[in-house]
Amino acid sequence: MSGLDPVETFRQEAQDLLEQVEQGLLDLARRPGDRTLVDAVFRGLHTLKGSGAMFGFDALAAFTHHCETAFDRVRKGEVPASPALVAAVLAAQDHMRALAEGRPVAAGAGEALLADLQAAVDGAPAPVVAAEPALNTFKIRFSLPADALVNGARPLPLLDELRDLGEARVRAITDTVPSLAELVPTECHLAWEVLLTTKHGRDAIDDVFIFVIDEMTLEVEDLTAVAEAAVETVIDVPAVEAAPEPANETRAKSGDTVRVPAERLDSMMDRVGELVIAQSRLKQLAGASTDMALRAVAEEIERLASEMRDTMMVVRMVPIQQLFGRFRRLVHDLERDTGKRIEMTTEGESTELDKTVIERLADPLIHLIRNAADHGLEAPEQRVAAGKSEAGRIHLAARQSGAEVVITITDDGRGVDRDRVRAKAEENGLIAPGQDLTDSELLQLIFAPGFSTAAAITNLSGRGVGMDVVKKTIEGLRGSLDIASTPGAGSVISLRIPLTLAIIDGLLVRVGAGRYVLPLSSVEECVELTTAQDLRSTGRNLITLRDELVPFIRLREEFATGTTPDPHQKIVVVSTGHERVGLVVDQILGDHQTVIKPLSSFHADVGAFSGATILGDGGVALILDIASLVGLGQRQDALLRAAG
């Protein structure tokens, strides 16, 4: 008996089917004559209806049936895949998602959506007369696994699906039913044989069983083909008695992917983190021992722990395509809301990120895309007057850069009006009138709380809420955000995001008696702060690195350690995007595999730290928030420049 909740399994599969249907509909909006897309949408709706009925989601099955019927008419050439029909099924798809998830729906919402669907179908051109397809005859034999009934599978809806395809004669096969004394009432021992005469092909039969085909036995014999060409029986999924090689290959391929609940991955990641901490402790003990055997075991455990960590990281990685795919629907809706024509393109969809990072990136990217559509792109007539194409373009791209992923959102719109940004910032008191700012600093004002240059409040923007949340979320991911813009040509917003939030490679440093970890991906270089440089920089913390002035922060003073500096202090230069700052520490202790532990709610708002980790000796080291410290260094430098 399976330990998985069959209802939850169906919901997961339903989400996949709804995602496939949505992507097919969005493609169909661009290519309404593509028969492959029409068939794909129909199969998705058909499977969702059948699976919903099988698992007791009767409201979902009944509602989906109407959408399936509409697309069946499209398949038959009776109505076209018009924009109105695609829009109606997209709206209906949102209702299906709510029904599948068990969320409450407004009274009459389903009826209103079906009325829109019927209006879209009725408003289509007259039917196209097509030749009546020839009838096919199939002999179908199938049986379900013994635990099918316990897991929620129901054979009667499958038989009803076959009857819907044409004329079906059904015979129950009782050969394997045990005696009453041995009968287990929760197990399925029946098989069924169906003689089906239908105008549909073999694919329609496969669609009936698509949700349970991996665990059942199915034999399909094309009697029409046998009569016409005397060909052999075709067996797609092997029976228990006979397992031909092609069928075995099919079954093997179906097991290549295993669906695992996310909480199990999180639990495994926690165990791997504890293993890394224990391995660090073992390494420290072995280093203090003269026992060579202990050292050898410690090195082997370190290698295995490192490999397990890397493997676990890979398991948690998912393609960013899962995230980018959601935004096609968003852009489709933005076209309707703004009255603009928008073309969205993507690049680097195979780039992978930790699943937790993917989930937390969704809202920031939605804000940025909406902002590009509403503020960035011009109306069609304005674009034509400016010599541009009528349709505006939004391009999403992702690429891996070391231990980070860089995501860019590019539009070819009007660009940022610097004068307007400055005027609004002065009006809001964010900057002093006439204050000297670099172009980067000016553009960063867009992400200040409450900042908006919109002329009017709309349902998309204008309230100054969103862009500051974007920045906070990205910095909460230990990432950074940069913006570049060319007036009249568009804007590019770049996000730099760490690959994972669970375990990082860090640089362990000492400040006073405390130990701290810096994410190694943010460290550029380490230099010595000589006594002469320390004395010269008093009052203005700047150091020259390759003809460039870099501000630095004395962490000993920032953290109020109350200790005297070491005679040989070090400056660790860190960066977020284009901004750099030096952090003065007393000692660099070396690299450290860092298992990130969240701070308590009491300490969560302390800006200088993003988490904590347990060291090999059982002590705790705080993880420095690089974005916060870089911002602090830049602000201190700006104040000194203004005063000096």
Side-chain angles (χ1 to χ4, degrees), residues 35 39 42-43 46 72 75-76 133-140 161-162 164-166 196-209 218 220-225 236:
R35 178 58 187 265
D39 290 342
F42 173 80
R43 282 197 301 271
H46 177 78
D72 190 34
R75 283 207 314 166
K76 295 173 180 176
L135 295 178
N136 302 309
T137 302
F138 298 95
K139 185 162 81 171
I140 305 161
E161 290 273 348
L162 291 174
D164 289 343
L165 296 178
L196 175 66
T197 301
T198 176
K199 60 186 176 182
H200 299 283
R202 169 63 192 274
D203 288 346
I205 298 173
D206 290 340
D207 286 344
V208 170
F209 298 100
L218 173 66
V220 180
E221 183 179 0
D222 188 344
L223 299 182
T224 306
D236 272 12

Side-chain angles (χ1 to χ4, degrees), residues 572-594:
V572 182
V573 181
V574 295
S575 67
T576 57
H578 300 300
E579 298 177 334
R580 307 166 75 204
V581 72
L583 305 176
V584 180
V585 302
D586 288 321
Q587 184 183 4
I588 295 175
L589 301 176
D591 64 316
H592 184 266
Q593 269 194 29
T594 304

Side-chain angles (χ1 to χ4, degrees), residues 25 28-29 32 67 70-71 74 79-92 113-125 332 336:
L25 289 168
L28 203 57
C67 298
F71 259 84
V74 176
V79 296
S82 63
L85 178 59
V86 170
V89 180
L90 273 173
L113 290 168
L114 293 179
D116 291 342
L117 176 65
Q118 189 61 48
V121 173
D122 292 342
H332 177 274
R336 178 195 62 212

Side-chain angles (χ1 to χ4, degrees), residues 86-243:
V86 170
V89 180
L90 273 173
Q93 186 251 6
D94 293 337
H95 186 71
M96 296 176 212
R97 193 182 299 276
L99 293 174
E101 294 174 356
R103 290 188 278 115
V105 295
E111 289 78 1
L113 290 168
L114 293 179
D116 291 342
L117 176 65
Q118 189 61 48
V121 173
D122 292 342
V128 176
V129 178
E132 187 69 23
L135 295 178
N136 302 309
T137 302
F138 298 95
K139 185 162 81 171
I140 305 161
R141 181 184 173 116
F142 72 92
S143 62
L144 300 174
D147 61 354
L149 300 177
V150 175
N151 289 336
R154 296 162 60 192
L156 290 181
L158 297 175
L159 295 171
D160 289 340
E161 290 273 348
L162 291 174
R163 289 190 179 97
D164 289 343
L165 296 178
E167 181 183 345
R169 286 180 289 174
V170 180
R171 180 175 70 90
I173 301 173
T174 59
D175 298 348
T176 59
V177 176
S179 65
L180 186 61
E182 299 174 343
L183 181 67
V184 179
T186 58
E187 293 184 353
C188 180
H189 297 285
L190 293 174
W192 290 268
E193 185 177 89
V194 181
L195 191 64
L196 175 66
T197 301
T198 176
K199 60 186 176 182
H200 299 283
R202 169 63 192 274
D203 288 346
I205 298 173
D206 290 340
D207 286 344
V208 170
F209 298 100
I210 194 169
F211 196 73
V212 293
I213 199 166
D214 287 339
E215 298 182 1
M216 68 177 294
T217 300
L218 173 66
E219 299 176 12
V220 180
E221 183 179 0
D222 188 344
L223 299 182
T224 306
V226 170
E228 293 178 353
V231 297
E232 296 295 329
T233 299
V234 178
I235 303 178
D236 272 12
V237 178
V240 174
E241 300 80 10

Side-chain angles (χ1 to χ4, degrees), residues 348-369:
E349 298 96 329
S350 60
T351 304
E352 294 186 331
L353 264 174
D354 188 293
K355 70 173 188 66
T356 305
V357 179
I358 289 278
E359 292 164 2
R360 292 173 61 179
L361 273 177
D363 285 345
L365 287 177
I366 287 173
H367 280 300
L368 293 174
I369 292 171

Side-chain angles (χ1 to χ4, degrees), residues 420-431 433:
R420 194 170 180 183
V421 170
R422 176 178 284 278
K424 195 70 176 180
E426 292 177 354
E427 177 186 328
N428 291 356
L430 297 173
I431 59 174

